Amino acid sequence: MRILITTLLTFILFSSSIGQTAEEYYNKGVAKVNLQDYRGAIADYTKAIELKPDNPVPYYGRGYAKAALQDYRGAIADFTKAIELKPDYAFAFYNRGHSKAALQDYSGAIADYNKAIELKPDISDAFLKRGYSKAALQDHRGAIADYTKAIELKPDNPVAFNNRGYSKAALQDHRGAIADYTKAIELKPDYPDTFFKRGNSKAALQDNQGAIADYTRAIELKPDYPFAFYNRGYSKAALQDHRGAIADFTKAIEYNPDNPDIFFNRGYSKAAIQDNIGAIADYSKAIELKPVNSDAFYYRGVSKADLQDYRGAIADYTKAIELKPDYPFAHYNRGASKTDLQDYTGAIADFTKAIELKPDDPDAFYNRGLCKLKLGQKDSGCLDFSKAAELGDQEAAAAKREFCK
């Protein structure tokens, strides 16, 4: 990009009949940009502007230097002045669009990219950047069209393939996304984010082994990549490798200790290997970081129930229900814990609510039937056994044969 700007700006400047002193300041500014001395470049461009205020090129150069220093509003002002002086200045529109995008004014950026493309339809980066802005506005189909055009103009651009893959993934076209990520990797094999994203698409297609391979490569390229550790852990958990998942979640926590989801998932894997005490600790941390997480309360309740702390479990299920009243499993498990405490009336109420929310759950009918039998409600209990049996519960069918003669 620096070589392009230097060549372009020098050519335009020499084609303008400006005084030698302004030309020297301008050329000094270009040289400083190439050395990444942006503040020095701004000072030289400013001097060139003072000496020749009707030349658009120093405004453009100063805008570029300001953008490099993340002074995007200042850059936009300079690009705008360059456009006023030279309305067909394609690169000024392009770079003003880039600065607007940096300020998250994606609609304004798209308008500038449109004008740049109108004036110079072979700028592949204008299509690339316009695609990025469209994707930021969730217009992924429009983004894909722009990335495709950028690829036509510059077939060896890995960023265009990477970004098109991202938009395809956003539209759930994970196979298409994988193809694009693979091409991006072929062109740039040392870019960790592309392996990470390809891993995500493989995981979405339940190719967890392939996902793990990609996350591993991303970590090799970028050892401090917390999301790659986290997602690799998630894929390992999906393959029932919970110890491996715990190791990855632990590594992710080292880099990102304030993320409740990582603690939650590590807790889930600990529970899967019967480390309920460790699971409860992780669920508790997840709740501390995100107190409105109904799942964390629910699963902490499950671990407490496994440790026969039924009252603690009921408290957690109750909190999960407060946060998510239509949570059938929380109602069901609270009913199960009440059953363990011989609160059959309370259990029946919870099983009834679980059935209301999930009427195809045979377990809720079966357990409600057992509670009714405990309270001497044989006829009603037998009806629950019959319904559970209809839904495929063999235990319920056996209970019906035994108790409902």
Side-chain angles (χ1 to χ4, degrees), residues 30-273:
V30 170
K32 287 178 180 177
V33 163
N34 285 332
L35 293 172
Q36 299 185 19
D37 175 13
Y38 299 113
R39 296 188 190 282
I42 289 168
D44 285 332
Y45 289 137
T46 299
K47 193 64 179 175
I49 289 166
E50 289 172 0
L51 294 168
K52 189 70 175 177
D54 59 348
N55 188 339
V57 181
Y59 286 102
Y60 174 82
R62 191 173 68 176
Y64 180 85
K66 287 180 179 179
L69 293 173
Q70 299 185 9
D71 174 14
Y72 297 113
R73 296 188 190 282
I76 288 168
D78 277 339
F79 293 136
T80 299
K81 184 63 178 179
I83 290 165
E84 287 175 9
L85 294 168
K86 183 177 171 59
D88 62 347
Y89 205 157
F91 284 96
F93 281 104
Y94 166 76
N95 279 290
R96 189 173 70 175
H98 181 74
S99 287
K100 288 180 179 178
L103 294 174
Q104 298 185 12
D105 174 14
Y106 298 113
S107 296
I110 289 169
D112 277 341
Y113 294 137
N114 288 345
K115 188 64 179 178
I117 289 166
E118 176 189 323
L119 292 167
K120 192 169 175 56
D122 60 345
I123 306 177
S124 64
D125 279 354
F127 287 100
L128 178 66
K129 299 292 187 181
R130 188 173 71 177
Y132 180 87
S133 288
K134 287 180 179 178
L137 294 175
Q138 304 303 309
D139 175 15
H140 289 289
R141 295 188 189 282
I144 288 168
D146 276 341
Y147 296 140
T148 299
K149 184 63 178 178
I151 290 166
E152 289 175 8
L153 291 168
K154 191 176 180 183
D156 60 349
N157 187 342
V159 177
F161 284 103
N162 176 75
N163 288 9
R164 190 172 70 175
Y166 179 83
S167 283
K168 287 181 179 178
L171 295 174
Q172 304 303 309
D173 175 14
H174 291 291
R175 296 188 189 284
I178 289 168
D180 276 340
Y181 292 140
T182 300
K183 184 63 178 179
I185 288 166
E186 177 188 319
L187 293 167
K188 187 174 175 58
D190 60 348
Y191 192 49
D193 285 350
T194 308
F195 283 100
F196 174 75
K197 290 174 186 174
R198 190 173 71 174
N200 289 344
S201 283
K202 288 180 179 179
L205 295 175
Q206 298 185 9
D207 175 15
N208 285 297
Q209 293 284 11
I212 288 168
D214 277 340
Y215 296 139
T216 299
R217 183 58 182 154
I219 291 165
E220 289 171 0
L221 292 167
K222 185 180 178 183
D224 60 344
Y225 203 157
F227 297 109
F229 282 106
Y230 173 69
N231 285 15
R232 188 173 70 175
Y234 194 89
S235 285
K236 287 180 179 179
L239 294 174
Q240 305 302 308
D241 175 15
H242 291 289
R243 295 187 188 280
I246 289 166
D248 277 339
F249 293 141
T250 299
K251 192 67 177 176
I253 287 167
E254 288 179 18
Y255 293 110
N256 200 350
D258 297 324
N259 188 322
D261 293 336
I262 306 175
F263 283 99
F264 173 81
N265 281 287
R266 189 174 70 174
Y268 184 88
S269 284
K270 286 180 178 179
I273 60 171

Side-chain angles (χ1 to χ4, degrees), residues 249-314:
F249 293 141
T250 299
K251 192 67 177 176
I253 287 167
E254 288 179 18
Y255 293 110
N256 200 350
D258 297 324
N259 188 322
D261 293 336
I262 306 175
F263 283 99
F264 173 81
N265 281 287
R266 189 174 70 174
Y268 184 88
S269 284
K270 286 180 178 179
I273 60 171
Q274 304 303 308
D275 176 13
N276 285 299
I277 293 173
I280 289 168
D282 277 340
Y283 293 139
S284 296
K285 185 63 178 179
I287 289 166
E288 177 189 321
L289 293 167
K290 187 179 178 183
V292 296
N293 188 339
S294 60
D295 285 342
F297 283 102
Y298 169 76
Y299 282 100
R300 189 173 71 175
V302 171
S303 284
K304 287 180 179 179
D306 282 347
L307 294 173
Q308 300 184 7
D309 175 13
Y310 301 118
R311 296 189 189 282
I314 288 168

